[in-house]
Amino acid sequence: MLPGAEFPTPEVQKAGWLRSCKAMPALARGNGQPCDCLPPLRAAAEQLRQKDLRISQLQADLHRPAPAPAQPPEPEALPTIYVVTPTYARLVQKAELVRLSQTLSLVPRLHWLLVEDAEGPTPLVSRLLAASGLLFTHLAVLTPKAQRLREGEPGWVRPRGVEQRNRALDWLRSGGGAVGGEKDPPPPGTRGVVYFADDDNTYSRELFEEMRWTRGVSVWPVGLVGGLRFEGPRVQDGRVVGFHTAWEPNRPFPVDMAGFAVALPLLLAKPNAQFDATAPRGHLESSLLSHLVDPKDLEPRAANCTRVLVWHTRTEKPKMKQEEQLQRQGRGSDPAVEV
């Protein structure tokens, strides 16, 4: 093609072919019979017309304004997530609670029930809650001496946080005893879900939206627990059919505390459902869930329990040898500085 020349448009090509065809005399085939070229040319012209039509439709789609994105529900329309967290005094307590509170602050329509293992509220936790910007209820109850870990005992010997979780359940059902924050329990008919979130785990924000619409008891996998990469329900055709776990798989509910949530109306309808401090090792979760649901009725979340959105992490206990040495010399860190 010469410089500056342009390719003919499909319409020009089509019109040219039709004029040529009409002017063309009937050609003789090899056997002397006339040949009509119009049918194949008409078919080719129809194909071009269909392509032109499709191109016009695509161009129109490109210029059509995009639909407005679906608006998320107003926070007031969402069920409330009640997050129950037992906590106790230790060097890393504030660091754990700051990290957790900042995760919770990303979740709309959430109420934090923070329960101290203490006779009353401590200034550290009270200040942290007041600064968190979260809707909260501050509770406190001391673990009985007979249930407390003794010096040198591993953490798995006795169930921890039992009194604190049960205190939160008592508040949800009847109120009373709050030492800070929201004093009144949820009014009758409140839509919500209850989740037991220890202060040392790691939580994805997605997890809370997975649990929000729980109708009974919802479940999902937990990472880095039980000596495995993850533990969790096995799901087939949208139903829980078993559990991936290595330790005592025959437990009624072989799940981690971080691996389930309970609809608030269900908890309120079962006033005797609570955690049993005398439950055998690994059966604390089962002591509550056995009052609430049959394993076959568990609601799998997190893409049918194929995604890990919570991890059973633990903060290493800080080594304070240098601090202790300086304290013996009278040069320890200023105790007025809160850590």
Side-chain angles (χ1 to χ4, degrees):
M1 178 172 289
L2 295 175
E6 296 182 354
F7 286 101
T9 64
E11 290 82 358
V12 172
Q13 291 178 336
K14 180 169 59 178
W17 288 343
L18 288 174
R19 285 197 301 271
S20 299
C21 183
K22 291 176 180 178
M24 187 183 300
L27 299 179
R29 295 182 185 171
N31 58 6
Q33 295 298 317
C35 174
D36 187 359
C37 64
L38 283 177
L41 285 176
R42 288 197 181 104
E46 178 61 21
Q47 289 180 349
L48 284 173
R49 192 185 70 81
Q50 293 295 335
K51 288 180 180 179
D52 291 345
L53 181 60
R54 180 58 179 155
I55 290 171
S56 298
Q57 291 172 341
L58 291 173
Q59 289 175 334
D61 290 342
L62 286 173
H63 291 90
R64 185 177 295 119
Q71 294 298 315
E74 292 295 326
E76 294 76 12
L78 297 173
T80 301
I81 300 176
Y82 293 90
V83 175
V84 175
T85 301
T87 189
Y88 64 98
R90 61 207 192 273
L91 271 175
V92 299
Q93 182 185 28
K94 184 177 180 181
E96 304 279 31
L97 292 176
V98 165
R99 179 175 57 190
L100 176 57
S101 69
Q102 292 184 358
T103 297
L104 300 182
S105 69
L106 301 174
V107 183
R109 199 74 171 171
L110 183 142
H111 189 142
W112 195 14
L113 306 182
L114 189 56
V115 194
E116 292 196 69
D117 187 350
E119 292 181 344
T122 62
L124 183 151
V125 174
S126 297
R127 285 193 293 266
L128 186 144
L129 284 170
S132 70
L134 292 164
L135 176 63
F136 70 88
T137 294
H138 190 181
L139 301 163
V141 59
L142 189 65
T143 298
K145 187 175 181 180
Q147 297 177 19
R148 301 183 75 85
L149 283 174
R150 299 183 176 88
E151 188 68 30
E153 280 187 333
W156 49 262
V157 170
R158 303 173 192 276
R160 293 177 292 175
V162 178
E163 296 294 323
Q164 290 71 41
R165 296 185 187 98
N166 284 339
R167 182 68 193 85
L169 293 179
D170 289 343
W171 182 85
L172 285 167
R173 288 169 173 143
S174 57
V179 295
E182 182 64 40
K183 300 296 193 347
D184 296 327
T190 297
R191 295 185 307 155
V193 60
V194 180
Y195 181 53
F196 302 96
D198 290 349
D199 62 7
D200 55 354
N201 289 342
T202 302
Y203 305 90
S204 166
R205 180 175 60 175
E206 289 181 74
L207 175 68
F208 299 96
E209 298 311 319
E210 290 284 336
M211 72 177 71
R212 190 182 296 277
W213 301 96
T214 298
R215 298 183 302 275
V217 177
S218 56
V219 288
W220 47 80
V222 178
L224 311 178
V225 67
L228 299 174
R229 291 176 58 243
F230 68 90
E231 281 187 343
R234 291 188 294 106
V235 178
Q236 184 175 338
D237 298 327
R239 300 181 69 88
V240 174
V241 296
F243 296 88
H244 173 65
T245 184
W247 190 79
E248 283 203 31
N250 293 324
R251 287 173 288 162
F253 293 88
V255 297
D256 185 77
M257 190 69 69
F260 68 93
V262 183
L264 177 64
L266 177 60
L267 270 175
L268 299 181
K270 303 282 187 178
N272 295 323
Q274 63 177 6
F275 294 99
D276 183 0
T278 66
R281 175 189 172 194
H283 289 249
L284 186 60
E285 295 84 355
S286 297
S287 70
L288 173 75
L289 294 175
S290 296
H291 292 279
L292 299 172
V293 68
D294 190 282
K296 67 179 177 59
D297 295 324
L298 294 170
E299 302 165 27
R301 294 288 194 269
N304 276 331
C305 298
T306 61
R307 298 184 64 208
V308 173
L309 300 173
V310 54
W311 295 262
H312 199 277
T313 49
R314 292 180 181 175
T315 301
E316 182 181 10
K317 185 177 180 180
K319 298 177 175 61
M320 292 285 111
K321 295 180 68 173
Q322 302 301 323
E323 181 68 41
E324 293 165 0
Q325 181 178 342
L326 288 179
Q327 286 178 354
R328 288 193 294 269
Q329 299 171 6
R331 298 189 297 121
S333 301
D334 185 351
V337 177
E338 188 177 85
V339 178

